[in-house]
Amino acid sequence: MPARPAGALVLFGITGDLAKKLVLPALYRLEERGDLDQPIIGVARSDWHQDDLVRHAREAVEDALGKPKAEVFSRLADRLSYVQGEYDDSRTFDRVKQRVGPRASSAVYYLAVPPPVFAVVAEALAREGLNKQSRLVVEKPFGHDLSSAKALDQKLRQFFPEERLFRVDHFLGKESVEDLLVFRFANGLFEQVWNRDHVQSVQLTFAENLDVADRGGFYDPVGAIRDVVQNHLFQVLAYLAMDSPSGSDPEAEQRERTRLLRAVRTLSKRNVVRGQYDGYRKVEGVKANSTTETYVAMRMAIDNARWEGVPFYVRTGKCLPETILQAVVELKPAPRLPQLERHNSVAPNLIRLRMQPSAGITLDIQAKEPGPGYRAKTVPLSVDFERTLGPTQLAYERVVSDALSGSRIHFTSQEAVEQSWRIVDPVLDLPDLPVSYKPGTWGPEQAERLPGREGWIRVDTDI
Ligand code: BG6
């Protein structure tokens, strides 16, 4: 049965950081495109009035996107209203019910609140009968490990069935991540080499040059593995390595991603290097003797026929020299051409798939160096997708729009969540100290050698 478009959007935590930085700017974009036609009811604890909410929304849009267009913003502001209340107080939900009125059954309840509040709100919605046909949107983290993820799911599922539970992993909303699928399967040239016969190794780097700034209190009990690897990077890994979906429906894509995650080997300590940047322990909210990793590099394996024997290296960290999300697929070397000069070592072909900051691809190919003899030299073939094809939508724009229309394509499933926890479970909360590294470097030296003597393939920052 096709999903019903949302009759109302109820945004819990509208005064918070997530709503401000990501959801409200996304709503502005949807308004600009003419894709919103429902009231937006913000719920939070602050004692705010309509004016405060509108000011907050304007600031949110300005900070994220620059000065809003007056007529677009005024349409958005007209949709906004505010319900004040505690999340554990039934009167709050009474007020929400009144405000949503007859639209209650087709409403989308978006929980931009801390995870401990998810089940509290879900239960309170159910008590008011607001869970009948509505959708519940929740944001990662989904649990703290495998068992807490299962426990959270059990609680939420008492009130909302799987098909009406929308779990946000905003990397699934990034067009540049989805593009991996198009690049791989719409180009016969690449589709044919995407396997163990032709691929030597795959390296995935998600580097951020920011520190944890004012998020110490959130970050310290979490660390890099929980914050971005278990969710975002495993989704990227799934797109990089999955088989082609067996149908055009969103479930087919989700199923295939999950099937890939099922084949990823559970990590062991010897394949992981954790790091912590110097100065991290001085950040407000971070324990003075914290063993939390702000960097991690891991050697991974996928146990299926396509990838047997191909190492997948994944690394991420805060305070690194760049902010970039890039996968590098290294192809196996071609047989040596007898004409080449003896000492001319030929580099492998590399396929660099850049997803952030702007999407694009660079292929490192070999060409004859001008001159008398035969010498092969690496030259890049590059394309920047935004320059060539135009701008893409924001990840949250797509996530919020899908939640409103009821499409599950950019959301993750409970099984994918559990598989991802299963993969990282043995390397969570390791008692040993992470290796320290200097801010502005590529992480600890031990991690540099994880992919072998040659180290990591340099990420390509200018396509
Ligand atoms: C969030 C993490 O989920 O994703 C942050 O909590 C991280 O630590 C962020 O910086 C990265 O997302 P994006 O879209 O800014 O690359």
Side-chain angles (χ1 to χ4, degrees), residues 213-233:
D214 52 357
R215 299 170 76 219
F218 156 78
Y219 196 86
D220 204 39
V222 172
I225 299 177
R226 288 190 175 92
D227 188 36
V228 297
V229 175
Q230 182 272 346
N231 32 66
H232 305 330
L233 295 190

Side-chain angles (χ1 to χ4, degrees), residues 140 170-171 174 206 208 215 218-219 227-228 232 318 356:
K140 70 114 198 159
H170 76 282
F171 272 45
K174 290 184 192 271
F206 178 41
E208 293 184 286
R215 299 170 76 219
F218 156 78
Y219 196 86
D227 188 36
V228 297
H232 305 330
K318 302 280 186 195
Q356 276 176 201

Side-chain angles (χ1 to χ4, degrees), residues 193-203 237 240-241 263-265 298-314 328-332:
V193 299
W194 223 258
N195 55 53
R196 62 191 289 270
D197 295 334
H198 301 283
V199 173
Q200 184 79 21
S201 74
V202 179
Q203 299 191 359
L237 182 71
L240 271 172
V264 176
R265 196 178 301 165
M298 33 187 59
R299 187 189 302 114
M300 307 190 67
I302 300 177
D303 292 318
N304 65 17
R306 185 192 280 269
W307 294 118
E308 194 188 291
V310 180
F312 280 71
Y313 300 99
V314 175
V328 183
V329 176
E330 177 191 9
L331 297 187
K332 292 198 164 155

